[in-house]
Amino acid sequence: MRTFKEPKGLQRWCRARKLAGAKIALVPTMGALHDGHLSLIAAAKRRGADEIVVSVFVNPVQFGPNEDYSAYPRDEKADLAKCRAAGATAVFFPTPANMYLPRHSVYVNEEDLSKGLCGVRRPGHFRGVCTVVAKLFNLAHPDFAVFGQKDYQQAQVIQRMVRDLNFDLEVVVAPIVREPSGLARSSRNTYLSAEEKERALAISRALREIDGTTFTDAKGRRATTAAIAKKLTAAGLVVDYVACVDAATLAPRKAIGKGTCVLVAAYDGKTRLIDNRVF
Ligand code: AMP
């Protein structure tokens, strides 16, 4: 397994591999790798990638001023070992200074899907995500890139960016990996105390319990999202949003059914957790 710190080094190697006919997969991450991330590497392998490039970069540009950029868990050594064991063939560990040169001034803005949901609480977040992912696409020349459904809105935004900016690659979205308790795996779960972890289970439970719920108009939708919010609040979480949207457009849905996505964001103590379910 190769490791790269310099963007140029990664770019040269990927270009050479591509010219030699290799099928390249990119798995962008912020590290503190867990089974959710490793499932993306496994998905890349299953799709026949010859080279699987995992990027590990806590991207400062996607964090707001009061967010957890400094506290975000980092463990380069463990991440390398996990990538190797999972079958990655290259790991890219850039520093903020070599990803963002002095006077960096070009950013990518997706202006539709980014606006609602997490975009409300985290202004500038998707601008940071799109910018870094566009840079990674230009460095790794992937045939496809694998993202997790865990960050549903992010996956949609990236797909839109790929379409609208004509990136020549396929976006693959892999299912959410959960702990046995149902909690969606996340690097941020390491912030949770035992008590907070217990409380967090209300999120996946409420999403599971939607089964059998039906509604056919906006009033019914509001009743459903309010019922979910009530369960989360009762468990001791502070709800940011509960939304029931069209899985493709992220616009509010009038009826539940195929193509509906229910998304939740809630604070568990200081930790912001997200989860979703697609029908
Ligand atoms: P992160 O390191 O949190 O930025 O995530 C990197 C990639 O891993 C993103 O595409 C996430 O959606 C994906 N990911 C994170 N957690 C999970 C999970 N529990 N299941 C599947 N994919 C995940």
Side-chain angles (χ1 to χ4, degrees):
M1 188 178 73
R2 280 156 200 275
T3 58
F4 298 94
K5 272 210 174 303
E6 294 294 330
K8 263 279 168 247
L10 176 74
Q11 197 173 42
R12 272 196 209 108
W13 181 74
C14 288
R15 195 195 303 129
R17 293 300 299 133
K18 185 116 177 162
L19 285 173
K23 184 169 175 177
I24 301 179
L26 172 69
V27 179
T29 82
M30 297 205 299
L33 300 179
H34 51 69
D35 287 352
H37 297 116
L38 303 183
S39 77
L40 308 184
I41 300 176
K45 224 181 194 174
R46 277 198 305 278
R47 292 179 75 92
D50 301 303
E51 303 292 356
I52 302 175
V53 180
V54 179
S55 62
V56 175
F57 180 54
V58 185
N59 173 33
V61 181
Q62 71 189 66
F63 285 79
N66 299 316
E67 293 185 344
D68 55 345
Y69 175 69
S70 313
Y72 198 85
R74 292 161 170 89
D75 192 344
E76 190 169 323
K77 227 171 131 192
D79 287 347
L80 273 173
K82 286 176 190 172
C83 285
R84 189 173 287 119
T89 60
V91 180
F92 179 46
F93 269 112
T95 61
N98 59 28
M99 282 298 268
Y100 297 103
L101 299 179
R103 301 171 66 102
H104 177 103
S105 58
V106 179
Y107 296 88
V108 180
N109 261 316
E110 190 288 324
E111 300 188 345
D112 174 24
L113 304 170
S114 303
K115 289 222 160 105
L117 305 171
C118 289
V120 176
R121 183 75 52 193
R122 309 189 69 192
H125 171 67
F126 291 111
R127 168 183 180 261
V129 170
C130 285
T131 301
V132 79
V133 170
K135 286 166 71 67
L136 292 169
F137 287 169
N138 284 330
L139 293 172
H141 305 295
D143 292 272
F144 66 93
V146 192
F147 294 85
Q149 187 203 313
K150 161 82 189 342
D151 298 86
Y152 189 81
Q153 186 179 12
Q154 167 175 283
Q156 297 305 113
V157 168
I158 297 295
Q159 275 169 320
R160 182 67 65 83
M161 176 180 83
V162 164
R163 189 197 73 170
D164 287 358
L165 295 185
N166 307 93
F167 279 103
D168 189 16
L169 59 94
E170 190 189 344
V171 173
V172 175
V173 182
I176 302 178
V177 174
R178 299 178 180 280
E179 297 189 2
S181 65
L183 178 65
R185 290 193 187 271
S186 163
S187 305
R188 289 192 168 97
N189 290 353
T190 57
Y191 297 150
L192 302 175
S193 66
E195 196 186 316
E196 286 171 336
K197 223 167 174 185
E198 189 62 35
R199 257 189 254 159
L201 300 185
I203 300 175
S204 51
R205 195 178 307 131
L207 286 172
R208 277 199 307 275
E209 286 170 358
I210 306 169
D211 278 341
T213 309
T214 54
F215 61 80
T216 51
D217 56 13
K219 198 169 157 214
R221 182 189 66 242
R222 282 194 294 273
T224 300
T225 53
I228 296 171
K230 200 169 160 193
K231 286 180 188 173
L232 305 183
T233 308
L237 303 171
V238 175
V239 175
D240 179 2
Y241 65 77
V242 178
C244 191
V245 301
D246 182 283
T249 64
L250 304 186
R253 276 283 282 227
K254 282 228 173 67
I256 209 160
K258 198 168 170 344
T260 307
C261 181
V262 181
L263 302 103
V264 170
Y267 290 91
D268 187 359
K270 284 193 176 134
T271 307
R272 188 170 181 281
L273 299 174
I274 56 172
D275 200 347
N276 66 81
R277 182 152 170 213
V278 180
F279 290 81

